Amino acid sequence: MDSIIVTGNGPLQGEIPIAGAKNACLALMPATLLSDAPLTLTNAPRLSDIRTMTALLESLGAEVAPLQDGQVLALSSHALDNHTADYEIVRKMRASILVLGPMLARDGHAVVSLPGGCAIGARPVDLHLRALEALGAELDLRDGYVHARAPGGLKGAVIEFPMVSVGATENALMAATLARGTTVLKNAAREPEIADLARCLRAMGAQIEGEGTDTIIIEGVQALGGATHPVVADRIELGTYMLAPAIAGGEVECLGGRMELVQAFVDTLRDTGVEVEETPRGLRVRRGDGARVRATDVATAPFPGFPTDLQAQFMALMCTADGVSHLEERIFENRFMHAPELTRMGARIEVHGGTATVTGVERLRGAPVMATDLRASVSLILAALAAEGETVLNRVYHLDRGYERVEEKLGACGARIERVKG
Ligand code: EPZ
C-alpha cells in the first residue's frame, strides 16, 4: 500500500488547478442509464471512486470509455443486460445506490445491494427508498438487496423529504425525469452537485425547474436523449487547497475556483484572518508570515452552509490557531476520526458528542498517521504542511478516492511531499 510523506517546510507559493467534482460526477454517470443515447462528461476527475462507478455501470451492461487521459467519459447504455448492482461493488462505494432510480425509471425493475454503514456514520438509504415508493415503486428488501419494480412505470408525486439528503434528492430527481406527470421535490438538497445534475438532465431533454432551491419541479418525459456536459468544479477540493496556504502560510491561486461554490466556507476563512480574493482565473488565498490565524467556530450544515466535507480540513487549520474553537458536526454522527490522529501530531482536541473543542498550539509535530476516510486523510496532509519534521500518511487509498495527484498539486507550490509506492 502506498504512503505519502510530508515534511513541513513553510510557506507555499503557486497555483493549483481544481478538478471536476467527484460527487457531481458520481451522480452524473448513472444518468446514462436513463437513455439509450450517448452521454459525454467532460472535466471528469481521475479518481478511484470514478473507476468504481465505471465498473458498476459496466457490470450492468453500459459502456464507459475514458478518453483524453480519463478527463472525458463517454458513456452509453443502449441496452442493459443486467439489472443487479452487486454487493461486491456497492460495498466499496455508497454512491452506487444512485443507479437504482435511473434503472427503475427506464426499465421498470432493478435490484441493488444495500450499502451498509461506513466509517463516518450509519448512513441509511431510507429516504432514497421512500422517495421511489412515492413515485409508485414496489420495494422488497431481502438478502441484503433492494428488489424494486414498477411494472406500469413510475408516476409523478409530491415528495417532501423529512431531512435534506443529497443522494436521495439525486435518485428521486433522476427517476422523476421519466415518470408520468409532475413530481415536486420539497426540502430538496441545494448542493451545486444537484444543480449540475439537473443541468445535465435538462441537456438530455428532461424538464426540470427550481434546482439550487429547496423545491424542484420535474415534468416527466417519454424518453431522454444524449448530451455532452462539463462536470462542475469540485468545491471540496477547492476548499481543501484553499486551506493549504492558510495553514502553511504563503499565497496560492486555485484555478477554476468560484466563490458561489464556497461562500460560507470563505466567510469563515476570512473570519480567521486569512485573505481570499476573486481573480479572473479563480480564487487566491494569502496568509502573511508570522501571524497566527484566529480561532473560529464552525457548525456544518447542508448547502449553502459550511460543508461537512471540509470540517476535517478546517480542524487542521484550527489546530494552530490562536485561541479555542468549537467545531460542531451536524450531518454525520461519527466524523471526527481525524481528531485522535491530529492529536498524535501534538494538537489539543477534545470531542464530546457532535462537537470538537480545539485549543490552538504554536506548532504541530510530524508523526506516522493514518485515516479511515477521505477527508480525514487530507486533513492530516494539510496539518503536516506546517508541522515540524516528517509525517507519514498510511492507507493512502482513502485519499485516492477523492483527490487526484495531491502530491503533484501541492509539490508544485513548494511543499515537500512525496508518494512512496508500497
Ligand atoms: C453526499 O453523501 C456526499 N457523497 C458526501 O460526500 C457528503 O458528505 C454528503 O452528501 C453531505 O454533504 C456523494 O455525493 C457521493 P446525504 P450522501 O444523503 O448523499 C442521512 C465525501 O467525503 N440520511 O446528504 O450519502 C445521512 O445518514 C462524502 O465526498 C438518512 O438518514 O449524504 C446523513 O446523516 C462523504 N437517510 C444525512 O442524511 C437517507 O436515506 C445527509 O446525508 C439518506 C441520508
Side-chain angles (χ1 to χ4, degrees), residues 2-6 381 391-394 396 399-400 406-407 417-420:
D2 294 3
S3 47
I4 286 190
I5 303 179
V6 183
I381 291 190
T391 297
V392 182
L393 176 74
N394 292 303
V396 168
L399 191 74
D400 293 336
V406 71
E407 60 279 17
I417 173 167
E418 61 171 325
R419 177 183 292 254
V420 179

Side-chain angles (χ1 to χ4, degrees), residues 6 10 24 42 58 70 111 169 174 206 211 267 277 339 412 414:
V6 183
T42 60
E58 285 175 342
V111 180
T169 303
M174 286 192 277
E211 75 274 12
D267 292 346
E277 64 169 331

Side-chain angles (χ1 to χ4, degrees), residues 6-7 30 50 58 80 120 129 164 191 350 382 385 389 409:
V6 183
T7 311
I50 301 301
E58 285 175 342
L80 300 182
I120 61 177
L129 304 186
V164 176
E191 269 66 5
E350 278 178 40
L382 289 175
L385 293 173
K409 290 188 179 187

Side-chain angles (χ1 to χ4, degrees), residues 22-23 26 94-95 120 122-128 163-168 170 191 235 308-309 331-333 335 373-375:
K22 166 183 80 92
N23 288 346
L26 289 176
R94 298 181 50 82
I120 61 177
R123 300 183 75 186
V125 291
D126 55 318
L127 301 178
H128 299 242
M163 64 191 281
V164 176
S165 162
V166 175
E170 290 166 342
E191 269 66 5
R235 64 197 167 96
T308 172
D309 290 347
I331 307 291
F332 293 110
E333 64 273 22
R335 210 175 195 184
D373 82 279
L374 163 63
R375 309 301 172 189

